[in-house]
Amino acid sequence: ELEQERYYFSQKEAKYPNGNRTKRTTNSGYWKTTGTDKKIVSPRRNHIVGMKKTLGFYKGKPPHGSRTDWIMHEYRLVYAETIGCTFPQIHNSIQ
């Protein structure tokens, strides 16, 4: 069987307007976290620069969905340790 990897960049969508939980549903199912977050450590400075979360895909509606073979790794930067990194930014100016 051919294994394929795909990479996507997206902004997180909130599940609730005033909450911190992330919306991970689709038309055919949902992504559910498995295990604990893994730390991504900088080899040069030996400190945490990000986190990796593993998610499994379930067909159907929670909580009665059926697990599939699909997995996804979600990466996020840890802001305090990445101040030295430069990323393209959009600046809005109000005059």
Side-chain angles (χ1 to χ4, degrees), residues 4 6 31 55-59 67-72:
Q4 294 184 7
R6 303 256 197 280
W31 292 96
L55 301 107
F57 188 72
Y58 289 73
K59 285 185 179 180
R67 188 179 175 105
T68 68
D69 291 337
W70 287 65
I71 62 164
M72 173 170 57

Side-chain angles (χ1 to χ4, degrees), residues 20 24 26 33 37 47-49 58 63 72 77 79 90 92:
N20 290 331
R24 294 191 177 101
T26 70
T33 59
D37 290 5
H47 60 80
I48 300 169
V49 294
Y58 289 73
M72 173 170 57
L77 294 174
Y79 179 74
I90 299 172
N92 294 327

